[in-house]
Amino acid sequence: SQQGEEDPQALSIQEGENATMNCSYKTSINNLQWYRQNSGRGLVHLILIRSNEREKHSGRLRVTLDTSKKSSSLLITASRAADTASYFCARGTDKLIFGTGTRLQVFP
Amino acid sequence: KAGVTQTPRYLIKTRGQQVTLSCSPISGHRSVSWYQQTPGQGLQFLFEYFSETQRNKGNFPGRFSGRQFSNSRSEMNVSTLELGDSALYLCASTSSSWNEQFFGPGTRLTVL
């Protein structure tokens, strides 16, 4: 499959805990983007990490990229109930190829 | 700056009909891409337009088509609708700097 794989497929945690989601891909990349999708709605752009970057932060989000392992991870620290959503990684430039997504449930 | 807008937000059609969806990109963005999201297939790329020209195309049948206007607004059309076309259709506009794609809220199409 061209799609990347994300794991876990689903994750349930309590508020305040950290959530880590992983994304693997098969071909070389120029950059990798992470998105959040609340139930049945549009995708919200979170972070773009370039192939020459190893780590990037945005607020409570931390993204790492290991091009030698063809993998990336998204860490959400001190999670909140509002972080409940599906999270996708996507590679490509003009044509994005999405991973299968991780469904995160944060319980208050 | 206003985000990507899509109209309509919800649509119900019957098999055999055709449908047109509209997307207005972020001001200044010249590239517009379309994606289909279904529970079974996930997010799949349909096509991408840049300066009124189709630049990339995904693996969808010819019933799926699109166009882009001189103001960068884009439309996609699906003819002879099938039940399997029921999906969330997402439009994205691309910033020219690092190809970040920003998505609209989507159009939920239901084919009965």
Side-chain angles (χ1 to χ4, degrees), chain A residues 52-86:
Chain A
N52 62 353
E53 297 176 312
R54 291 296 167 258
E55 191 170 307
K56 205 160 180 181
H57 297 254
S58 177
R60 294 182 298 111
L61 306 180
R62 186 185 79 149
V63 167
T64 60
L65 178 64
D66 186 336
T67 53
S68 66
K69 294 181 179 178
K70 291 187 169 56
S71 68
S72 176
S73 67
L74 169 66
L75 168 67
I76 303 174
T77 60
S79 62
R80 306 167 181 167
D83 295 327
T84 294
S86 291

mmCIF file of all heavy atoms in Angstrom, chain A residues 52-86:
data_model
loop_
_atom_site.group_PDB
_atom_site.id
_atom_site.type_symbol
_atom_site.label_atom_id
_atom_site.label_comp_id
_atom_site.label_asym_id
_atom_site.label_seq_id
_atom_site.Cartn_x
_atom_site.Cartn_y
_atom_site.Cartn_z
ATOM 1 N N ASN A 52 15.181 17.415 6.638
ATOM 2 C CA ASN A 52 16.471 17.710 7.289
ATOM 3 C C ASN A 52 16.298 18.130 8.754
ATOM 4 O O ASN A 52 17.265 18.533 9.399
ATOM 5 C CB ASN A 52 17.234 18.793 6.525
ATOM 6 C CG ASN A 52 16.490 20.105 6.485
ATOM 7 O OD1 ASN A 52 15.338 20.192 6.913
ATOM 8 N ND2 ASN A 52 17.153 21.135 5.985
ATOM 9 N N GLU A 53 15.095 18.038 9.267
ATOM 10 C CA GLU A 53 14.838 18.340 10.672
ATOM 11 C C GLU A 53 14.623 17.054 11.447
ATOM 12 O O GLU A 53 14.067 16.083 10.907
ATOM 13 C CB GLU A 53 13.606 19.246 10.809
ATOM 14 C CG GLU A 53 13.793 20.614 10.153
ATOM 15 C CD GLU A 53 12.529 21.461 10.213
ATOM 16 O OE1 GLU A 53 11.443 20.941 9.875
ATOM 17 O OE2 GLU A 53 12.642 22.649 10.584
ATOM 18 N N ARG A 54 15.009 17.041 12.678
ATOM 19 C CA ARG A 54 14.840 15.840 13.499
ATOM 20 C C ARG A 54 13.718 16.002 14.520
ATOM 21 O O ARG A 54 13.130 15.015 14.954
ATOM 22 C CB ARG A 54 16.148 15.510 14.219
ATOM 23 C CG ARG A 54 17.229 15.039 13.281
ATOM 24 C CD ARG A 54 16.832 13.733 12.612
ATOM 25 N NE ARG A 54 17.704 13.410 11.480
ATOM 26 C CZ ARG A 54 17.331 13.618 10.218
ATOM 27 N NH1 ARG A 54 16.156 14.132 9.921
ATOM 28 N NH2 ARG A 54 18.166 13.301 9.240
ATOM 29 N N GLU A 55 13.453 17.246 14.899
ATOM 30 C CA GLU A 55 12.452 17.486 15.931
ATOM 31 C C GLU A 55 11.866 18.876 15.725
ATOM 32 O O GLU A 55 12.562 19.801 15.305
ATOM 33 C CB GLU A 55 13.107 17.395 17.313
ATOM 34 C CG GLU A 55 12.147 17.373 18.474
ATOM 35 C CD GLU A 55 12.845 17.027 19.786
ATOM 36 O OE1 GLU A 55 13.533 15.989 19.834
ATOM 37 O OE2 GLU A 55 12.706 17.812 20.730
ATOM 38 N N LYS A 56 10.560 18.995 16.034
ATOM 39 C CA LYS A 56 9.895 20.280 15.925
ATOM 40 C C LYS A 56 8.833 20.385 17.000
ATOM 41 O O LYS A 56 8.178 19.386 17.331
ATOM 42 C CB LYS A 56 9.271 20.417 14.544
ATOM 43 C CG LYS A 56 9.081 21.848 14.085
ATOM 44 C CD LYS A 56 8.929 21.910 12.589
ATOM 45 C CE LYS A 56 8.741 23.354 12.157
ATOM 46 N NZ LYS A 56 8.560 23.462 10.700
ATOM 47 N N HIS A 57 8.679 21.575 17.543
ATOM 48 C CA HIS A 57 7.719 21.786 18.623
ATOM 49 C C HIS A 57 6.697 22.837 18.225
ATOM 50 O O HIS A 57 6.996 23.771 17.483
ATOM 51 C CB HIS A 57 8.437 22.274 19.884
ATOM 52 C CG HIS A 57 9.405 21.304 20.455
ATOM 53 N ND1 HIS A 57 9.153 20.583 21.599
ATOM 54 C CD2 HIS A 57 10.625 20.913 20.020
ATOM 55 C CE1 HIS A 57 10.202 19.805 21.869
ATOM 56 N NE2 HIS A 57 11.107 19.988 20.925
ATOM 57 N N SER A 58 5.480 22.656 18.736
ATOM 58 C CA SER A 58 4.450 23.673 18.602
ATOM 59 C C SER A 58 3.541 23.554 19.807
ATOM 60 O O SER A 58 2.721 22.636 19.885
ATOM 61 C CB SER A 58 3.661 23.476 17.307
ATOM 62 O OG SER A 58 2.608 24.425 17.227
ATOM 63 N N GLY A 59 3.700 24.440 20.750
ATOM 64 C CA GLY A 59 2.893 24.363 21.975
ATOM 65 C C GLY A 59 3.107 23.050 22.697
ATOM 66 O O GLY A 59 4.234 22.684 23.036
ATOM 67 N N ARG A 60 2.037 22.301 22.889
ATOM 68 C CA ARG A 60 2.137 20.996 23.569
ATOM 69 C C ARG A 60 2.473 19.852 22.610
ATOM 70 O O ARG A 60 2.481 18.685 23.015
ATOM 71 C CB ARG A 60 0.807 20.694 24.273
ATOM 72 C CG ARG A 60 0.478 21.645 25.431
ATOM 73 C CD ARG A 60 -0.820 21.273 26.135
ATOM 74 N NE ARG A 60 -1.973 21.360 25.243
ATOM 75 C CZ ARG A 60 -2.684 20.323 24.806
ATOM 76 N NH1 ARG A 60 -2.349 19.085 25.157
ATOM 77 N NH2 ARG A 60 -3.728 20.509 24.031
ATOM 78 N N LEU A 61 2.724 20.168 21.382
ATOM 79 C CA LEU A 61 3.021 19.147 20.377
ATOM 80 C C LEU A 61 4.515 19.065 20.120
ATOM 81 O O LEU A 61 5.205 20.082 20.034
ATOM 82 C CB LEU A 61 2.306 19.472 19.061
ATOM 83 C CG LEU A 61 0.807 19.698 19.118
ATOM 84 C CD1 LEU A 61 0.289 19.999 17.711
ATOM 85 C CD2 LEU A 61 0.082 18.511 19.705
ATOM 86 N N ARG A 62 4.981 17.812 20.007
ATOM 87 C CA ARG A 62 6.360 17.606 19.615
ATOM 88 C C ARG A 62 6.385 16.524 18.537
ATOM 89 O O ARG A 62 5.835 15.441 18.745
ATOM 90 C CB ARG A 62 7.236 17.159 20.779
ATOM 91 C CG ARG A 62 8.716 17.085 20.430
ATOM 92 C CD ARG A 62 9.525 16.538 21.571
ATOM 93 N NE ARG A 62 9.431 15.086 21.649
ATOM 94 C CZ ARG A 62 10.395 14.279 22.105
ATOM 95 N NH1 ARG A 62 11.513 14.793 22.539
ATOM 96 N NH2 ARG A 62 10.211 12.984 22.155
ATOM 97 N N VAL A 63 7.003 16.825 17.422
ATOM 98 C CA VAL A 63 7.112 15.872 16.326
ATOM 99 C C VAL A 63 8.580 15.537 16.119
ATOM 100 O O VAL A 63 9.431 16.417 16.130
ATOM 101 C CB VAL A 63 6.516 16.441 15.022
ATOM 102 C CG1 VAL A 63 6.904 15.582 13.825
ATOM 103 C CG2 VAL A 63 5.003 16.536 15.139
ATOM 104 N N THR A 64 8.860 14.258 15.967
ATOM 105 C CA THR A 64 10.209 13.820 15.633
ATOM 106 C C THR A 64 10.183 13.103 14.295
ATOM 107 O O THR A 64 9.146 12.567 13.883
ATOM 108 C CB THR A 64 10.783 12.886 16.708
ATOM 109 O OG1 THR A 64 9.938 11.729 16.810
ATOM 110 C CG2 THR A 64 10.867 13.579 18.055
ATOM 111 N N LEU A 65 11.308 13.104 13.648
ATOM 112 C CA LEU A 65 11.420 12.453 12.350
ATOM 113 C C LEU A 65 12.737 11.705 12.281
ATOM 114 O O LEU A 65 13.791 12.270 12.591
ATOM 115 C CB LEU A 65 11.355 13.488 11.221
ATOM 116 C CG LEU A 65 11.497 12.968 9.793
ATOM 117 C CD1 LEU A 65 10.335 12.045 9.440
ATOM 118 C CD2 LEU A 65 11.576 14.129 8.801
ATOM 119 N N ASP A 66 12.669 10.443 11.918
ATOM 120 C CA ASP A 66 13.858 9.625 11.733
ATOM 121 C C ASP A 66 13.822 9.099 10.304
ATOM 122 O O ASP A 66 13.162 8.091 10.031
ATOM 123 C CB ASP A 66 13.884 8.476 12.752
ATOM 124 C CG ASP A 66 15.179 7.674 12.709
ATOM 125 O OD1 ASP A 66 15.851 7.666 11.652
ATOM 126 O OD2 ASP A 66 15.525 7.063 13.727
ATOM 127 N N THR A 67 14.521 9.758 9.412
ATOM 128 C CA THR A 67 14.457 9.369 7.999
ATOM 129 C C THR A 67 15.163 8.037 7.749
ATOM 130 O O THR A 67 14.813 7.336 6.810
ATOM 131 C CB THR A 67 15.062 10.446 7.099
ATOM 132 O OG1 THR A 67 16.376 10.761 7.581
ATOM 133 C CG2 THR A 67 14.210 11.703 7.103
ATOM 134 N N SER A 68 16.114 7.666 8.602
ATOM 135 C CA SER A 68 16.793 6.385 8.414
ATOM 136 C C SER A 68 15.846 5.223 8.707
ATOM 137 O O SER A 68 15.943 4.164 8.100
ATOM 138 C CB SER A 68 18.023 6.288 9.309
ATOM 139 O OG SER A 68 17.660 6.255 10.679
ATOM 140 N N LYS A 69 14.920 5.431 9.621
ATOM 141 C CA LYS A 69 13.927 4.403 9.953
ATOM 142 C C LYS A 69 12.606 4.637 9.232
ATOM 143 O O LYS A 69 11.666 3.856 9.392
ATOM 144 C CB LYS A 69 13.680 4.376 11.460
ATOM 145 C CG LYS A 69 14.888 3.933 12.282
ATOM 146 C CD LYS A 69 14.570 3.899 13.765
ATOM 147 C CE LYS A 69 15.784 3.442 14.555
ATOM 148 N NZ LYS A 69 15.521 3.445 16.018
ATOM 149 N N LYS A 70 12.546 5.726 8.472
ATOM 150 C CA LYS A 70 11.314 6.089 7.781
ATOM 151 C C LYS A 70 10.140 6.118 8.763
ATOM 152 O O LYS A 70 9.111 5.449 8.572
ATOM 153 C CB LYS A 70 11.021 5.141 6.620
ATOM 154 C CG LYS A 70 12.005 5.273 5.458
ATOM 155 C CD LYS A 70 11.571 4.435 4.251
ATOM 156 C CE LYS A 70 12.388 4.768 3.015
ATOM 157 N NZ LYS A 70 13.837 4.638 3.187
ATOM 158 N N SER A 71 10.314 6.882 9.808
ATOM 159 C CA SER A 71 9.258 6.965 10.807
ATOM 160 C C SER A 71 9.234 8.341 11.451
ATOM 161 O O SER A 71 10.240 9.063 11.489
ATOM 162 C CB SER A 71 9.440 5.885 11.878
ATOM 163 O OG SER A 71 10.588 6.163 12.646
ATOM 164 N N SER A 72 8.058 8.678 11.960
ATOM 165 C CA SER A 72 7.858 9.935 12.659
ATOM 166 C C SER A 72 6.945 9.678 13.844
ATOM 167 O O SER A 72 6.170 8.714 13.849
ATOM 168 C CB SER A 72 7.199 10.946 11.716
ATOM 169 O OG SER A 72 6.896 12.161 12.385
ATOM 170 N N SER A 73 7.048 10.519 14.844
ATOM 171 C CA SER A 73 6.131 10.392 15.966
ATOM 172 C C SER A 73 5.598 11.753 16.362
ATOM 173 O O SER A 73 6.263 12.776 16.187
ATOM 174 C CB SER A 73 6.820 9.729 17.162
ATOM 175 O OG SER A 73 7.820 10.584 17.665
ATOM 176 N N LEU A 74 4.382 11.742 16.860
ATOM 177 C CA LEU A 74 3.721 12.948 17.369
ATOM 178 C C LEU A 74 3.458 12.724 18.846
ATOM 179 O O LEU A 74 2.808 11.746 19.221
ATOM 180 C CB LEU A 74 2.411 13.196 16.638
ATOM 181 C CG LEU A 74 1.480 14.269 17.232
ATOM 182 C CD1 LEU A 74 2.110 15.650 17.130
ATOM 183 C CD2 LEU A 74 0.124 14.259 16.526
ATOM 184 N N LEU A 75 3.965 13.604 19.667
ATOM 185 C CA LEU A 75 3.748 13.551 21.114
ATOM 186 C C LEU A 75 2.889 14.728 21.522
ATOM 187 O O LEU A 75 3.197 15.879 21.184
ATOM 188 C CB LEU A 75 5.081 13.601 21.862
ATOM 189 C CG LEU A 75 5.012 13.839 23.379
ATOM 190 C CD1 LEU A 75 4.368 12.653 24.081
ATOM 191 C CD2 LEU A 75 6.405 14.125 23.943
ATOM 192 N N ILE A 76 1.803 14.442 22.209
ATOM 193 C CA ILE A 76 0.962 15.496 22.788
ATOM 194 C C ILE A 76 1.168 15.421 24.301
ATOM 195 O O ILE A 76 0.883 14.391 24.922
ATOM 196 C CB ILE A 76 -0.529 15.295 22.460
ATOM 197 C CG1 ILE A 76 -0.742 15.229 20.955
ATOM 198 C CG2 ILE A 76 -1.364 16.440 23.059
ATOM 199 C CD1 ILE A 76 -2.175 14.890 20.551
ATOM 200 N N THR A 77 1.679 16.464 24.877
ATOM 201 C CA THR A 77 1.925 16.458 26.321
ATOM 202 C C THR A 77 0.732 17.049 27.065
ATOM 203 O O THR A 77 -0.014 17.871 26.528
ATOM 204 C CB THR A 77 3.182 17.269 26.670
ATOM 205 O OG1 THR A 77 2.998 18.622 26.225
ATOM 206 C CG2 THR A 77 4.409 16.683 25.995
ATOM 207 N N ALA A 78 0.570 16.606 28.308
ATOM 208 C CA ALA A 78 -0.497 17.119 29.180
ATOM 209 C C ALA A 78 -1.816 17.199 28.421
ATOM 210 O O ALA A 78 -2.425 18.261 28.298
ATOM 211 C CB ALA A 78 -0.103 18.491 29.727
ATOM 212 N N SER A 79 -2.275 16.063 27.930
ATOM 213 C CA SER A 79 -3.443 16.033 27.058
ATOM 214 C C SER A 79 -4.693 16.558 27.744
ATOM 215 O O SER A 79 -4.824 16.497 28.972
ATOM 216 C CB SER A 79 -3.680 14.624 26.539
ATOM 217 O OG SER A 79 -3.949 13.757 27.617
ATOM 218 N N ARG A 80 -5.619 17.029 26.931
ATOM 219 C CA ARG A 80 -6.900 17.566 27.399
ATOM 220 C C ARG A 80 -8.025 16.848 26.680
ATOM 221 O O ARG A 80 -7.817 16.278 25.600
ATOM 222 C CB ARG A 80 -6.980 19.061 27.086
ATOM 223 C CG ARG A 80 -5.819 19.859 27.620
ATOM 224 C CD ARG A 80 -5.791 21.241 27.009
ATOM 225 N NE ARG A 80 -4.650 22.027 27.487
ATOM 226 C CZ ARG A 80 -4.247 23.166 26.950
ATOM 227 N NH1 ARG A 80 -4.903 23.682 25.912
ATOM 228 N NH2 ARG A 80 -3.202 23.818 27.445
ATOM 229 N N ALA A 81 -9.204 16.905 27.237
ATOM 230 C CA ALA A 81 -10.361 16.259 26.600
ATOM 231 C C ALA A 81 -10.561 16.800 25.183
ATOM 232 O O ALA A 81 -10.965 16.074 24.269
ATOM 233 C CB ALA A 81 -11.612 16.474 27.440
ATOM 234 N N ALA A 82 -10.228 18.063 24.977
ATOM 235 C CA ALA A 82 -10.382 18.683 23.653
ATOM 236 C C ALA A 82 -9.413 18.124 22.616
ATOM 237 O O ALA A 82 -9.579 18.376 21.414
ATOM 238 C CB ALA A 82 -10.201 20.199 23.760
ATOM 239 N N ASP A 83 -8.412 17.370 23.054
ATOM 240 C CA ASP A 83 -7.484 16.744 22.109
ATOM 241 C C ASP A 83 -8.077 15.486 21.487
ATOM 242 O O ASP A 83 -7.477 14.894 20.578
ATOM 243 C CB ASP A 83 -6.169 16.369 22.812
ATOM 244 C CG ASP A 83 -5.401 17.593 23.291
ATOM 245 O OD1 ASP A 83 -5.482 18.648 22.622
ATOM 246 O OD2 ASP A 83 -4.723 17.492 24.338
ATOM 247 N N THR A 84 -9.228 15.056 21.972
ATOM 248 C CA THR A 84 -9.906 13.884 21.412
ATOM 249 C C THR A 84 -10.183 14.114 19.934
ATOM 250 O O THR A 84 -10.892 15.054 19.568
ATOM 251 C CB THR A 84 -11.223 13.604 22.155
ATOM 252 O OG1 THR A 84 -10.919 13.226 23.504
ATOM 253 C CG2 THR A 84 -12.003 12.485 21.475
ATOM 254 N N ALA A 85 -9.604 13.262 19.093
ATOM 255 C CA ALA A 85 -9.692 13.440 17.642
ATOM 256 C C ALA A 85 -8.939 12.299 16.978
ATOM 257 O O ALA A 85 -8.345 11.462 17.655
ATOM 258 C CB ALA A 85 -9.076 14.780 17.226
ATOM 259 N N SER A 86 -8.967 12.292 15.661
ATOM 260 C CA SER A 86 -8.096 11.393 14.894
ATOM 261 C C SER A 86 -6.904 12.193 14.398
ATOM 262 O O SER A 86 -7.049 13.364 14.022
ATOM 263 C CB SER A 86 -8.845 10.786 13.711
ATOM 264 O OG SER A 86 -9.833 9.890 14.151
#
